[in-house]
Amino acid sequence: MTSAERRSLVNVVFEVRVPETTSERACVYVCGNAPALGSWSAAGLSLERVEGNLYRGEGLFAGGTAFEWKVTRGRWGTVEKTKAGGEVENRRGFASSESAHYETTVEAWADGGKDDVKADEDAPDKGEGPLPPGPCPRVKLLGSFGFETTEEDRPVWVYTPPGYDENPDRHYPVLYMLDG
């Protein structure tokens, strides 16, 4: 990604209404084919619960990017479904040169909306086991950055611990992890 492309990053906002039966402790994600959406990781872009059954999150996309996406609760065994239990086609979006906003409603979950802290017996063994109890992890996509050595864009994720925003003067240990 060139410096000009970095300057043309576009903020895309997602607002998702989930079924009323969804646990208040549910972690909700938008996943899709763009790095900002986790490149089809079931736990892509983490959404925060705004109120009731409304979740919201935002990601940075290169301007002019077309993308496809779905909503999950962190595992493919919890992907969104139609009310009748059918597959939901990939939603389509476009990050133009200005910010974009997408609103959608999840009709049903593949697992029927079971409690999120239970194991999903149908989940493949690909690190998609049970979610930890408690609120969603505070994981945000900082952005995608190009590296000269690989000539690839790589997403950079940041996890901040609980209380981080409320204690701006507190110092925390840092752990750097590289993939590959």
Side-chain angles (χ1 to χ4, degrees), residues 14 24 29 46 48 58 62 94 102 113 159 174:
F14 297 89
E24 288 184 6
Y29 301 86
S46 178
E48 292 185 24
E58 49 192 84
F94 185 74
Y102 292 94
Y159 166 82
V174 177

Side-chain angles (χ1 to χ4, degrees), residues 73-164:
R73 289 193 343 271
R75 298 181 302 274
W76 286 111
T78 64
V79 69
E80 63 178 318
K81 296 287 186 176
T82 65
K83 237 179 210 171
E87 294 297 323
V88 173
E89 286 191 36
N90 292 348
R91 301 173 193 281
R92 297 181 190 280
F94 185 74
S96 64
S97 60
E98 299 178 15
S99 64
H101 189 114
Y102 292 94
E103 296 179 17
T104 194
T105 299
V106 172
E107 295 179 6
W109 298 113
D111 67 346
K114 297 179 204 171
D115 188 349
D116 289 303
V117 298
K118 294 180 183 174
D120 181 358
E121 291 88 22
D122 298 328
D125 186 19
K126 295 182 181 174
E128 297 183 20
L131 294 171
C136 293
R138 298 179 44 86
V139 178
K140 305 274 186 218
L141 181 67
L142 182 62
S144 292
F145 300 91
F147 294 92
E148 291 177 18
T149 54
T150 63
E151 297 183 5
E152 286 184 45
D153 287 349
R154 303 300 297 168
V156 176
W157 299 88
V158 176
Y159 166 82
T160 57
Y164 179 83

